[in-house]
Amino acid sequence: MKHPEEILRRPLLTEKVLMDQELHGRYAFEVDRRANKIEIRKAVEKKFNVKVKTVRTVVVKGKRKRMNVRRGMTFGRRATIKKAIVTLAEDHSIDLFDTGA
């Protein structure tokens, strides 16, 4: 099994995700695109020492972007990412803002 740091890239902290954390105990992470739901579940349980109820995943295709480089327009693309929405068991939570001090 891969280390949790290889699977879980970073937590996603948007207004919508923060509301889901408070109301429903759902947390969102950007994960490795090759990781499956079982690997994501094990990585979250190992890294944060919690019990995972469900894992939902979605692949977000990168947007096409225009950049004005000195002469003319240049086109590029943002990276495609995979998001995992993890629901924890009732009595578990993750403190993403823990400073560790």
Side-chain angles (χ1 to χ4, degrees):
M1 182 179 136
K2 298 177 189 175
H3 289 283
E5 290 80 20
E6 294 175 15
I7 295 173
L8 302 174
R9 297 245 170 102
R10 65 186 178 101
L12 299 175
L13 301 173
T14 63
E15 289 181 29
K16 185 175 181 178
V17 170
L18 292 174
M19 288 296 291
D20 259 357
Q21 286 177 13
E22 292 177 18
L23 299 176
H24 305 290
R26 292 185 196 132
Y27 296 83
F29 297 94
E30 180 182 334
V31 297
D32 183 28
R33 285 185 52 198
R34 297 167 296 191
N36 60 35
K37 291 182 181 186
I38 297 167
E39 291 173 335
I40 295 167
R41 173 189 300 262
K42 289 179 181 177
V44 171
E45 287 178 346
K46 185 175 181 183
K47 184 169 184 176
F48 298 107
N49 196 23
V50 293
K51 178 73 175 144
V52 174
K53 189 174 173 183
T54 61
V55 176
R56 296 180 296 159
T57 60
V58 61
V59 176
V60 180
K61 192 171 181 182
K63 291 182 178 180
R64 186 173 180 213
K65 290 295 183 180
R66 290 190 312 204
M67 295 169 276
N68 191 357
V69 182
R70 291 195 180 191
R71 294 183 184 153
M73 297 295 259
T74 304
F75 292 96
R77 183 173 288 278
R78 285 188 186 162
T80 299
I81 65 167
K82 186 173 190 175
K83 290 195 296 188
I85 295 95
V86 178
T87 306
L88 300 182
E90 293 294 323
D91 55 342
H92 292 272
S93 65
I94 298 173
D95 186 10
L96 296 173
F97 301 106
D98 184 20
T99 59

